[in-house]
């Protein structure tokens, strides 16, 4: 029905791409599931806890180091799939624009953000679990919701610009159409921007963010 708009070879390429991603997804899920069994039923998490216990850290610091160690190990175990998806699959189908330098810089930035944001959050949750009694789960939930709301506010203002460059949409016709659509939907926006997403991927993308 759409043969006049999409060539057969393009349609076949899209189908091949989808099937390839599904196959890799199955392998990735199996890999992650096996490691999950190891960390839980296999005693891996307990082994990490016992290893850090030898250093006689305070309960709070011990909990933070155990969770941080597990997070680093899980990230390292999943990294081969990220590399393969970016530099093999996406490259094969002509979508990859990411250079090794950009990939490494993204990894460094993401790791630093996880340290700066994740460790204080983990510390707060563990402290609440130890101090707040039987309703610790309620206070922990409040902290988590507060953190999530702060992230919704902070992401477009402070975090996303660390990875991408944002510039106001200069196409007046397109901007007018988008503004009219926003008004019709009662959606209040502080701007429409173009992102340099093409330095990482040739996929098209658009999104709303913030409150």
């Amino acid at each position: 029905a759409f043969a006049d708009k999409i060539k057969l070879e393009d349609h076949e390429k899209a189908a091949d791409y989808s099937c390839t991603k599904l196959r890799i997804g199955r392998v990735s899920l199996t890999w992650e599931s096996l490691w999950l069994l190891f960390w839980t039923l296999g005693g891996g998490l307990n082994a990490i806890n016992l290893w850090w216990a030898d250093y006689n850290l305070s309960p709070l610091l011990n909990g933070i180091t155990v969770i941080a160690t597990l997070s680093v190990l899980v990230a390292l175990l999943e990294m081969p799939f990220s590399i393969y998806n970016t530099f093999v699959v996406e490259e094969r189908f002509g979508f990859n624009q990411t250079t090794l330098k950009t990939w490494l810089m993204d990894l460094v930035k993401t790791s630093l953000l996880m340290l700066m944001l994740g460790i204080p959050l983990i510390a707060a949750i563990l402290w609440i679990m130890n101090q707040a009694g039987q309703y610790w789960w309620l206070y922990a939930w409040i902290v988590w919701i507060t953190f999530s709301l702060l992230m919704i506010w902070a992401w477009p203002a402070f975090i996303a610009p660390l990875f991408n460059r944002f510039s106001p949409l200069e196409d007046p016709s397109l901007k007018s159409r988008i503004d009219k659509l926003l008004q019709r939907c009662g959606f209040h926006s502080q701007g429409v921007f173009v992102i340099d997403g093409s330095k990482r991927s040739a996929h098209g993308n658009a999104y709303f963010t913030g409150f």
Side-chain angles (χ1 to χ4, degrees):
F2 46 83
D4 58 329
K5 296 182 175 63
I6 300 177
K7 298 177 182 178
L8 177 60
E9 54 267 31
D10 291 335
H11 186 256
E12 291 175 340
K13 180 182 178 181
D16 189 22
Y17 176 74
S18 297
C19 291
T20 301
K21 297 286 283 187
L22 283 171
R23 284 194 295 270
I24 295 172
R26 292 194 192 103
V27 175
S28 175
L29 179 60
T30 301
W31 176 256
E32 292 170 6
S33 299
L34 290 173
W35 277 106
L36 179 61
L37 290 173
F38 170 76
W39 297 127
T40 53
L41 300 180
L45 183 57
N46 186 53
I48 295 174
N49 184 51
L50 292 174
W51 185 73
W52 279 110
D54 292 339
Y55 291 89
N56 296 315
L57 303 174
S58 67
L60 179 60
L61 187 56
N62 185 78
I64 293 172
T65 52
V66 168
I67 295 174
T69 301
L70 178 64
S71 299
V72 170
L73 291 174
V74 169
L76 289 173
L77 290 168
E78 293 177 355
M79 191 176 294
F81 290 95
S82 174
I83 295 172
Y84 186 81
N85 271 311
T86 301
F87 295 105
V88 177
V89 177
E90 296 294 306
E91 186 74 29
R92 170 188 163 193
F93 288 94
F95 294 127
N96 181 47
Q97 308 277 17
T98 303
T99 64
L100 180 60
K101 179 182 177 181
T102 299
W103 188 87
L104 290 172
M105 287 300 298
D106 284 349
L107 178 63
V108 170
K109 292 175 184 177
T110 302
S111 300
L112 290 175
L113 282 171
M114 291 296 293
L115 287 173
M116 295 170 59
L117 299 175
I119 289 181
L121 179 62
I122 292 171
I125 297 296
L126 291 176
W127 184 85
I128 289 172
M129 291 174 66
N130 190 49
Q131 300 291 330
Q134 63 176 331
Y135 293 109
W136 68 266
W137 55 271
L138 177 61
Y139 301 120
W141 177 79
I142 292 172
V143 169
W144 175 254
I145 290 298
T146 302
F147 174 79
S148 299
L149 292 174
L150 285 173
M151 286 299 296
I152 292 174
W153 165 77
W155 175 263
F158 303 107
I159 299 176
L162 296 174
F163 296 89
N164 290 102
R165 185 176 67 254
F166 292 74
S167 56
L169 177 62
E170 296 181 352
D171 185 330
S173 175
L174 179 58
K175 187 176 186 305
S176 176
R177 292 173 62 190
I178 293 175
D179 287 339
K180 289 178 181 178
L181 176 62
L182 295 176
Q183 293 173 10
R184 191 164 72 244
C185 297
F187 191 102
H188 301 286
S189 171
Q190 294 184 349
V192 182
F193 301 90
V194 176
I195 307 175
D196 60 339
S198 58
K199 72 178 184 180
R200 290 180 178 82
S201 174
H203 287 293
N205 188 27
Y207 69 92
F208 294 108
T209 187
F211 285 107

